Amino acid sequence: MKETSIKKRTLLMSALALATAVATLSGAAHAQDFPPKKPVTLVVGFAAGGAADAAARLIAKKLGENIGQSVVVDNKGGAGGNIAHQFVANAPADGSVLLLGSVGPLTIAPHLMKVNYDPFKDLAAVSGGVNFPNVLVVHKGAGVKTLAEFVQLSKKKPGSVDFASTGAGSASHLAGELFNQRAGIDMTHVPYKGGAPALQDLLGERVTSYFAAPPTALPHIEAGKLIPLATTGLTRPSYMPNIPTVAEAGYPGFEALNWYAFVAPGKTPAPLLDRWNQEIVKVLNDPSVKDALNKHGLTPQPTTRAELTAFMKKESTQWATIIKERKLTAD
């Protein structure tokens, strides 16, 4: 009787172990389904109509066509993109959620303010997305036409020259602070709640300068209402061939790009991250997509997962140094 009872218990335990193993394997296989067997969401941390949204919708459409499943863009604006990054950090790690992350929340905000996510632990790199430089513009009343004249004015009247940004910790804010450091000047930072009010006050001559996104500044430059001094990439963008870069204008190596990159919840399995990398790189290399992005002033930046991680760490280190040296706060 005892032997029979032991055998029964042994068989029962074996059956339970087998069932557990099958469930585990089934769960793992299900977690790594590609494309996911549920709707795919591409989260964007900014409102519809901006550069990030335009890029996301162009890329999502082609991604959906390629994988045979719709990819829905979900705009979760607020807090300079931090809300969207926190949302995705806590989202299901099954490959169904991607984020078009941005320079601010990924590499600037964590050094400037308290955020409830770690970009390198709670989010996983997938691929680079797109980038574009800012253009430093001043209103006509500033009385300067070159970057050298702008620096001279700033040194002649310390503290009287200011620059607008789309908010503390934004790319336009840190571009200005980096230029403060490199040029040895002390422009005053004037944060706004977005590009529209910043541009409006610049046109109204209530602020001296602004490191603006080219698509929004170009119409006013062409109309003669704003004076472009320099762009912030290492090379001149094709749509602004006559405007020098900050590097060309006397500050070698200066670079402060706006960039967006694809990330996923941090615990997403590596095989899924690799598959999404393949699909996103394929889309970014598609001639029709590249052409459409270029028309929006956006340069495709496909990368491997490792390349994106290394790039983010480099950017994070640069901005951490600037924030510390300039004693910046989120106020």
Side-chain angles (χ1 to χ4, degrees):
M1 287 292 291
K2 286 184 179 179
E3 186 176 345
T4 302
S5 178
I6 291 171
K7 285 183 177 178
K8 284 183 177 180
R9 269 201 307 271
T10 302
L11 287 171
L12 180 60
M13 290 174 66
S14 297
L16 286 171
L18 178 61
T20 300
V22 169
T24 300
L25 288 172
S26 175
H30 179 71
Q32 296 184 21
D33 284 336
F34 192 91
K37 293 181 178 179
K38 57 195 287 192
V40 177
T41 301
L42 175 56
V43 179
V44 181
F46 303 93
D53 180 68
R57 292 182 186 280
L58 281 168
I59 295 166
K61 184 175 183 296
K62 192 63 177 179
L63 267 180
E65 292 173 1
N66 288 353
I67 68 173
Q69 182 173 324
S70 63
V71 178
V72 179
V73 174
D74 183 10
N75 298 89
K76 290 190 179 299
N82 292 339
I83 289 175
H85 289 66
Q86 177 64 62
F87 174 81
V88 173
N90 295 324
D94 58 6
S96 67
V97 180
L98 295 171
L99 167 70
L100 186 59
S102 57
V103 52
L106 289 176
T107 63
I108 296 173
H111 304 295
L112 193 63
M113 62 190 76
K114 182 179 180 180
V115 295
N116 296 318
Y117 61 89
D118 183 325
F120 296 98
K121 292 181 181 178
D122 300 322
L123 296 168
V126 178
S127 170
V130 298
N131 66 48
F132 61 93
N134 281 315
V135 55
L136 174 59
V137 287
V138 296
H139 59 72
K140 292 195 299 182
V144 298
K145 294 184 178 180
T146 67
L147 190 63
E149 291 175 352
F150 180 73
V151 171
Q152 187 177 22
L153 175 65
S154 299
K155 290 183 175 180
K156 185 179 179 180
K157 299 179 179 179
S160 65
V161 174
D162 47 23
F163 73 100
S165 83
T166 55
S170 65
S172 54
H173 174 200
L174 271 293
E177 297 295 354
L178 180 61
F179 189 63
N180 267 336
Q181 181 209 48
R182 293 295 302 277
I185 57 178
D186 193 23
M187 295 183 293
T188 300
H189 174 224
V190 183
Y192 288 84
K193 293 183 178 180
L199 192 61
Q200 184 177 3
D201 267 14
L202 179 65
L203 290 167
E205 301 191 5
R206 289 180 285 275
V207 64
T208 312
S209 63
Y210 176 33
F211 285 84
T216 59
L218 266 173
H220 304 290
I221 292 171
E222 292 169 350
K225 295 179 180 179
L226 295 177
I227 308 297
L229 303 182
T231 55
T232 63
L234 290 177
T235 59
R236 300 185 186 193
S238 59
Y239 46 85
M240 288 184 165
N242 299 319
I243 302 172
T245 65
V246 174
E248 289 175 323
Y251 304 91
F254 184 98
E255 183 179 33
L257 295 174
N258 282 282
W259 54 264
Y260 299 96
F262 290 91
V263 296
K267 294 182 180 179
T268 304
L272 287 178
L273 297 173
D274 289 337
R275 282 299 307 274
W276 273 125
N277 174 269
Q278 293 172 18
E279 295 298 335
I280 290 168
V281 168
K282 180 181 177 181
V283 168
L284 291 173
N285 284 326
D286 184 281
S288 64
V289 174
K290 289 171 71 174
D291 183 58
L293 290 171
N294 285 330
K295 287 179 179 177
H296 283 275
L298 304 169
T299 301
Q301 189 184 28
T303 69
T304 65
R305 290 174 52 213
E307 286 170 342
L308 175 57
T309 298
F311 174 74
M312 285 172 53
K313 287 182 177 178
K314 174 177 170 288
E315 288 276 294
S316 183
T317 299
Q318 171 179 261
W319 298 129
T321 299
I322 296 298
I323 288 166
K324 183 177 180 179
E325 289 183 2
R326 298 288 302 169
K327 299 180 181 178
L328 305 179
T329 66
D331 296 333

